[in-house]
Amino acid sequence: MLEIRNLNYTVKDERGKADILKNINLDIEAGKFVVITGPNGSGKTSLAKAIMGLIPGESGEITGSIKYNGQELTGLGVTGRARLGISYGFQQPPRFKGMQVTDLLSIAAGKILKRDEHCALLSQVGLCTDDYLKREIDTSLSGGELKRIEIATLLARDVSLMIFDEPEAGIDLWSFSKLTETFKIIHKQKKETTIIIISHQERIIKLADEIILVSAGAITKRGSVEEVLPLIMNETVSDCVYLGGAVNE
């Protein structure tokens, strides 16, 4: 279980101090699929990075408590949290020219994987293994391919908490469709794995067991898709904002 208590994140700006996260209190049970959504600049990504330990101390002041499976994360860096089974998928995953997909998966797994193990991982994310085993992690890969290979590396590590920051960013509609199918498969097959996704996309939001709505650094609503999505749709329509506009069309 992920437990967050009285989490605050304050940074200095030209006006003095700005509160990015305000008294966040949140419990997420193991095995849940949770989508965190809200307007741009509302603090969603900051919350995800705070869980992963990606906010450097010099960038601002973080107070409060974050526990994972009963262990306090305060004081642990990214490596320490990763060893506890926490992972983070970036909006723009890094590329590694000269490194093959098989190399990256073996590094993630911490051992040399056999061909059938590589194939099993790539199949879980909907990639044809014969086409990708020897591909390099470079500019020849599309954004959607890169995102799914990143997910395969997390599966190789057998993590228990997956955090994704706007996985729909920069990919086309076909790749986005494949990506949503990947999330559905992972949630179905890995019932003990917790998935947290930061997203504006309605198709991803509809996959969730629970939606958490963040606005101005605070949690303003949480509940099921049936409870929260109509509220989001009403707000976005009234503000003339298209909920699905992040995917390239």
Side-chain angles (χ1 to χ4, degrees), residues 6-13 15-23 46 50 55-64 217:
N6 304 315
L7 182 66
N8 294 275
Y9 175 40
T10 303
V11 299
K12 293 181 179 179
D13 61 14
R15 295 171 292 181
K17 290 186 176 180
D19 296 323
I20 307 300
L21 297 175
K22 305 173 186 176
N23 199 38
S46 294
I55 297 177
E58 63 270 16
S59 70
E61 181 183 4
I62 298 179
T63 60

Side-chain angles (χ1 to χ4, degrees), residues 37-222:
T37 192
N40 290 332
S42 60
K44 305 182 300 298
T45 293
S46 294
L47 176 56
K49 287 184 174 180
I51 297 169
M52 191 67 231
L54 289 169
I55 297 177
E58 63 270 16
S59 70
E61 181 183 4
I62 298 179
T63 60
S65 170
I66 303 176
K67 291 183 179 181
Y68 185 58
N69 291 336
Q71 181 163 342
E72 178 62 54
L73 300 184
T74 303
L76 286 180
V78 175
T79 301
R81 300 182 195 210
R83 286 173 178 161
L84 293 176
I86 305 172
S87 65
Y88 190 94
F90 292 88
Q91 287 188 27
Q92 300 296 333
R95 299 176 188 268
F96 305 96
K97 186 177 181 180
M99 179 181 289
Q100 294 182 346
V101 171
T102 51
D103 298 327
L104 186 62
L105 292 176
S106 290
I107 291 171
K111 62 179 181 179
I112 302 299
L113 297 177
K114 298 177 181 178
R115 188 182 189 281
D116 60 341
E117 293 175 308
H118 286 129
C119 292
L121 290 167
L122 292 175
S123 295
Q124 285 184 73
V125 297
L127 295 177
C128 177
T129 53
D130 288 338
D131 293 340
Y132 288 93
L133 285 176
K134 297 301 180 182
R135 290 281 297 274
E136 290 190 7
I137 315 297
D138 57 15
T139 55
S140 67
L141 292 172
S142 70
E145 291 170 328
L146 196 61
K147 292 281 177 69
R148 283 189 278 163
I149 289 170
E150 180 185 51
I151 295 172
T153 66
L154 303 186
L155 294 173
R157 284 184 50 215
D158 197 26
V159 298
S160 54
L161 170 56
M162 296 181 174
I163 304 169
F164 296 97
D165 185 9
E166 296 191 23
E168 69 268 18
I171 65 175
D172 58 46
L173 286 173
W174 188 87
S175 296
F176 175 65
S177 177
K178 294 293 184 181
L179 192 65
T180 56
E181 286 300 315
T182 296
F183 288 135
K184 287 170 64 176
I185 291 170
I186 293 173
H187 186 43
K188 182 178 180 180
Q189 294 182 350
K190 292 185 167 291
K191 297 186 182 300
E192 297 303 313
T193 298
T194 306
I195 302 173
I196 300 175
I197 301 183
I198 310 297
S199 181
H200 299 104
Q201 276 292 328
E202 183 179 355
R203 285 175 65 182
I204 290 181
I205 291 172
K206 285 183 174 180
L207 299 176
D209 297 318
E210 185 175 33
I211 301 171
I212 296 171
L213 184 59
V214 177
S215 181
I219 295 175
T220 57
K221 184 71 176 178
R222 65 179 297 182

